[in-house]
């Protein structure tokens, strides 16, 4: 049975808890430093709180330490990996592969009941010279996932990472479903994590140096200045303007909701929503939408798949990905190269299509639409010049809209979008989901003992017993027994089945006894799921000869552009192609109305050459 994981972003603790409540099987979150989103840092204490919350549902927490590190930062980063592992993190995403060799410097926690073992990448204890206070122990070390920042696009790369000890690899967003399937077939032992939703970088992750070159803010250090979202003017070799002040490198947002089942069939097991800078409303809505879709897939193939975590979610809203931040959607390269991948006119959110302007009358207009509007909605449209114009709805009467200020340029036939749904946001601003773990119980009465066993969705069982002296009942007792034992208020449980077995005539049992048994049984179920190595304060360092040594990683890390020649160095490596997006791919047979090379120009005077490698079907932005 394959476990499928929906992986959601967490800017902070609030977002992480919301993701779990709305159906995530795992969340990824930044720590105090070294995450690929420098503006989304979180304390170890908050990560510990999130882990405690997530683990109730067998959900996992992954921490991002996925930037390239300076030499003098390695020890601090290794210690951070140790600290978040002690806090309960289930894995750590890394880009700088030197961290693998820092494992031997960690202070491992000591607890458990089994003989000393280390669950980490390619690590073995050769000898242990220290005296451990616990004879039978288990050592817990960080488990690493290979971040998409390590540029994972080929079978060969994934094999290499597997040989280094990575159990999971986050694949590049640019891969097609067919390419994902080929990687899974070639390296089936590696878990494949794929992005399914959110913002797209125009460059392969980890291969963009434009932000550092132009603004001194390295994307590989978590400080991307979003160079690709800027407006550019495109010129040909003769200086002719092809496109002026357009967002030529700004891609639409990724949306694989309709391809989710195909990704499952291709062998992916973790489905990642981008957005560690997104607010909690985005996390709630998008997580719920993909969780429902994943549930539908599992319901149709219950003999093949199951969710990686426990719990069923109920929502106070109908999820809709179009109602959250988006620049329009693309499936990118899911089925190979396709057109209309970019959003030339704006890098801002346009939201959902709601209809066309039908008639303008004074300070209002009506919309040809079945959509319901509300006071406070945010609307937008593109002017004839291609500029995105936004306005606020001051009053809505049916499909007649009274803007706060009548926007210039709006005419009959104008296509309207809503990028802020007041009614929808009001629902999301309140508790909007409840997640419950389904539990079955068996209550047994003997002449001398009461016993209550509880089993959750993943088969974790807890049993509570109580000595009991038989007391004959004057009235029927079964209704009260069921009422008392199935109470679950204030817990994460929903008792869906209770079986009562009695070896004697059902006796009188005080409600206080039943409440005690219920509480103890639920606590036992929870303790059954407790990690083998729970967080300890401080931990202990295990000394030893060649302790936890990893063979040197045979790779070169270089944060500078790699492709020299062509009159400069590459600042971006992209599968996205401007020539194709403009309709003049060399394979199309259409002759381009320009002479190459092409150049991109910023308003501040900087210019960049564009090189097309048609053999590799790639584009490079050169300095």
């Amino acid at each position: 049975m394959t476990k499928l994981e929906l992986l959601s972003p967490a800017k902070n603790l609030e977002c992480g808890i919301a993701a779990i409540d709305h159906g995530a099987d795992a969340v990824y979150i930044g720590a105090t430093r070294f995450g690929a989103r420098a503006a989304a840092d979180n304390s170890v204490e908050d990560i510990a709180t999130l882990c405690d919350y997530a683990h109730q549902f067998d959900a996992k927490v992954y921490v991002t330490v996925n930037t390239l590190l300076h030499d003098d930062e390695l020890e601090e980063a290794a210690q951070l990996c140790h600290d978040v592992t002690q806090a309960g993190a289930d894995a750590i995403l890394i880009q700088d592969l030197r961290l693998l060799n820092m494992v031997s410097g960690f202070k491992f926690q000591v607890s458990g009941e089994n003989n000393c073992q280390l669950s980490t990448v390619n690590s073995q204890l050769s000898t242990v010279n220290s005296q451990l206070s616990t004879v039978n122990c288990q050592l817990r070390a960080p488990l690493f996932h290979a971040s998409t920042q390590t540029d994972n696009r080929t079978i060969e790369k994934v094999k290499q990472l597997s040989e280094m000890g990575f159990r999971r690899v986050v694949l590049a967003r640019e891969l097609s479903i067919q390419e994902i399937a080929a990687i899974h077939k070639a390296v089936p032992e590696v878990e494949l994590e794929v992005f399914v939703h959110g913002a797209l970088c125009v460059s392969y992750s980890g291969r963009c140096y434009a932000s550092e070159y132009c603004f001194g803010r390295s994307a590989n250090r978590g400080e991307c200045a979003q160079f690709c979202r800027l407006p550019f003017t495109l010129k040909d070799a003769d200086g002719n303007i092809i496109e002026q002040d357009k967002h030529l490198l700004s891609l639409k947002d990724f949306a694989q909701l309709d391809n989710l089942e195909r990704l499952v069939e291709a062998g992916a097991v973790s489905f990642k929503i981008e957005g560690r800078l997104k607010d909690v409303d985005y996390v709630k809505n998008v997580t719920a939408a993909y969780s429902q879709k994943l549930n539908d897939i599992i319901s149709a193939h219950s003999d093949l798949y199951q969710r990686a975590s426990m719990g069923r979610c109920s929502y106070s809203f109908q999820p809709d990905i179009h109602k959250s931040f988006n620049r329009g959607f693309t499936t990118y390269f899911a089925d190979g190269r396709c057109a209309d991948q970019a959003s030339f006119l704006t890098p801002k959110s346009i939201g959902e299509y709601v209809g066309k302007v039908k008639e303008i009358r004074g300070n209002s207009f009506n919309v040809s639409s079945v959509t319901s509007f509300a006071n406070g909605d945010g609307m937008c449209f593109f002017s004839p010049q291609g500029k995105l114009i936004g306005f606020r709805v001051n009053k809505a009467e049916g499909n007649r809209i009274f803007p706060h200020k009548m926007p210039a340029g709006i005419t009959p036939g104008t296509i309207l979008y809503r990028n802020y749904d007041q009614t929808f946001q009001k629902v999301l601003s309140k508790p909007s989901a409840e997640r419950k773990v389904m539990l079955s119980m068996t209550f047994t009465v003997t002449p001398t003992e009461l016993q209550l066993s509880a089993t959750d969705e993943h088969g974790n069982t807890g049993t509570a017993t109580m000595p009991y002296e038989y007391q004959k009942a004057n009235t029927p007792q079964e209704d009260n027994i069921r009422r008392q034992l199935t109470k679950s208020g204030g817990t994460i449980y929903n008792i869906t089945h209770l079986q009562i077995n009695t070896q004697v005539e059902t006796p009188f049992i005080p409600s206080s006894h039943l409440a005690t048994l219920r509480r103890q049984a639920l606590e036992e179920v929870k303790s059954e799921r407790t990690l083998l190595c729970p967080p300890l304060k401080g931990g202990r360092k295990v000394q030893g000869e060649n302790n936890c040594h990893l063979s040197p990683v045979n790779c070169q890390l270089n944060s500078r552009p790699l492709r020299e020649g062509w009159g400069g160095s590459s600042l971006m490596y992209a599968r996205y192609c401007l020539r194709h997006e403009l309709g003049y791919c060399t394979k199309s047979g259409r002759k381009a109305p320009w002479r190459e090379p092409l150049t991109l120009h910023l308003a501040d005077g900087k210019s960049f050459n564009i090189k097309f490698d048609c053999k590799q079907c790639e584009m490079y932005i050169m300095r």
Side-chain angles (χ1 to χ4, degrees), residues 497-536:
H497 176 75
L498 173 63
Q499 180 177 330
I500 300 175
N501 299 325
T502 59
Q503 298 179 10
V504 294
E505 183 180 352
T506 305
F508 169 74
I509 305 171
S511 295
S512 60
H513 287 18
L514 297 171
T516 298
L517 283 169
R518 184 189 69 242
R519 184 179 64 254
Q520 291 178 351
L522 296 184
E523 288 174 352
E524 286 295 317
V525 173
K526 183 177 180 180
S527 65
E528 182 77 7
R529 295 197 310 274
T530 301
L531 293 174
L532 288 174
C533 293
L536 298 178

Side-chain angles (χ1 to χ4, degrees), residues 357-415:
V357 174
K358 187 176 180 180
E359 174 203 18
I360 297 176
R361 185 190 309 156
N363 63 344
S364 70
F365 59 87
N366 62 2
V367 184
S368 177
S369 174
V370 295
T371 303
S372 297
F373 300 99
N375 303 350
D377 280 353
M379 309 279 282
C380 60
F381 65 94
F382 289 101
S383 71
Q385 295 75 34
K387 184 179 179 181
L388 185 67
I389 307 295
F391 63 93
R392 179 180 177 275
V393 175
N394 190 52
K395 184 172 67 172
E397 295 179 351
N399 67 342
R400 179 155 291 277
I401 303 298
F402 295 81
H404 177 67
K405 182 180 179 181
M406 197 68 177
I410 195 166
T411 60
T414 296
I415 295 173

Side-chain angles (χ1 to χ4, degrees), residues 91-324:
I92 300 167
L93 287 86
I94 64 170
Q95 176 184 186
D96 198 320
L97 303 183
R98 293 174 297 173
L99 276 174
L100 294 176
N101 279 333
M102 298 295 291
V103 171
S104 59
F106 292 165
K107 300 175 181 178
F108 297 114
Q109 62 184 41
V110 179
S111 68
E113 298 179 353
N114 299 323
N115 291 329
C116 297
Q117 295 178 346
L118 210 109
S119 59
T120 188
V121 291
N122 282 348
S123 299
Q124 293 182 344
L125 287 172
S126 53
T127 59
V128 179
N129 298 323
S130 61
Q131 295 295 318
L132 300 177
S133 60
T134 306
V135 176
N136 292 321
C137 66
Q138 186 174 53
L139 306 179
R140 183 169 183 257
L143 176 66
F144 291 115
H145 293 173
S147 169
T148 191
Q149 293 294 119
T150 55
D151 190 20
N152 311 317
R153 288 181 272 143
T154 66
I155 291 172
E156 292 72 25
K157 181 63 176 288
V158 176
K159 280 184 176 178
Q160 181 189 32
L161 292 168
S162 176
E163 290 165 0
M164 291 176 186
F166 286 101
R167 195 172 76 183
R168 176 180 292 190
V169 173
V170 187
L171 296 179
R173 295 166 174 85
E174 289 82 0
L175 294 182
S176 69
I177 295 174
Q178 184 177 0
E179 288 168 324
I180 293 168
I183 291 173
H184 172 65
K185 183 178 180 180
V187 200
E189 67 275 14
V190 174
E191 294 179 356
L192 299 182
E193 182 178 306
V194 297
F195 281 91
V196 293
H197 193 90
L200 287 167
C201 301
V202 71
S203 175
Y204 293 120
S205 292
R207 303 296 301 278
C208 180
Y209 315 102
S211 179
E212 181 178 13
Y213 174 73
C214 292
F215 310 110
R217 293 170 54 181
S218 172
N220 285 312
R221 297 279 295 167
E223 299 173 341
C224 177
Q226 296 199 315
F227 170 88
C228 59
R229 303 296 180 189
L230 297 174
F232 294 91
T233 293
L234 179 66
K235 296 182 180 180
D236 68 7
D238 298 317
N240 298 314
I241 294 176
I242 302 169
E243 297 284 350
Q244 187 164 11
D245 293 331
K246 296 289 181 63
H247 301 271
L248 301 173
L249 302 180
S250 182
L251 300 184
K252 292 182 176 181
D253 285 2
F254 206 20
Q256 293 278 54
L257 194 63
D258 294 335
N259 286 329
L260 202 56
E261 186 166 359
R262 295 173 61 203
L263 288 166
V264 170
E265 292 169 350
V269 295
S270 181
F271 308 95
K272 188 171 193 172
I273 298 167
E274 184 279 336
R276 278 202 303 116
L277 295 179
K278 294 292 196 300
D279 291 331
V280 67
D281 294 349
Y282 174 95
V283 173
K284 288 180 175 184
N285 182 35
V286 178
T287 297
Y290 278 85
S291 183
Q292 287 184 336
K293 187 68 172 182
L294 205 54
N295 285 341
D296 291 343
I297 294 168
I298 290 172
S299 294
H301 305 282
S302 57
D303 57 328
L304 299 176
Y305 311 119
Q306 68 179 78
R307 292 294 291 263
S309 65
M310 297 186 299
R312 298 178 189 174
C313 299
S314 57
Y315 307 105
S316 62
F317 66 101
Q318 180 59 48
D320 183 348
I321 60 173
H322 297 87
K323 289 182 178 293
S324 289

Side-chain angles (χ1 to χ4, degrees), residues 359-490:
E359 174 203 18
I360 297 176
R361 185 190 309 156
N363 63 344
S364 70
F365 59 87
N366 62 2
V367 184
S368 177
S369 174
V370 295
T371 303
S372 297
F373 300 99
N375 303 350
D377 280 353
M379 309 279 282
C380 60
F381 65 94
F382 289 101
S383 71
Q385 295 75 34
K387 184 179 179 181
L388 185 67
I389 307 295
F391 63 93
R392 179 180 177 275
V393 175
N394 190 52
K395 184 172 67 172
E397 295 179 351
N399 67 342
R400 179 155 291 277
I401 303 298
F402 295 81
H404 177 67
K405 182 180 179 181
M406 197 68 177
I410 195 166
T411 60
T414 296
I415 295 173
L416 288 174
Y417 301 89
R418 178 167 57 188
N419 52 16
Y420 186 85
D421 186 328
Q422 175 73 16
T423 303
F424 191 73
Q425 293 300 322
K426 187 176 292 186
V427 173
L428 289 182
S429 68
K430 302 173 183 178
S432 49
E434 184 177 48
R435 184 168 180 166
K436 291 287 187 179
V437 174
M438 302 300 111
L439 210 65
S440 61
M441 286 182 166
T442 300
F443 180 56
T444 303
V445 181
T446 74
T448 59
E449 186 178 74
L450 303 176
Q451 183 183 89
L452 181 64
S453 295
T455 303
D456 68 22
E457 298 170 25
H458 282 181
N460 301 299
T461 301
T463 300
T465 60
M466 177 184 293
Y468 176 71
E469 184 176 338
Y470 182 84
Q471 298 180 51
K472 183 177 176 60
N474 295 323
T475 57
Q477 294 294 298
E478 184 170 335
D479 286 349
N480 185 59
I481 291 172
R482 289 190 177 278
R483 183 167 55 252
Q484 296 300 326
L485 292 183
T486 56
K487 288 181 178 179
S488 58

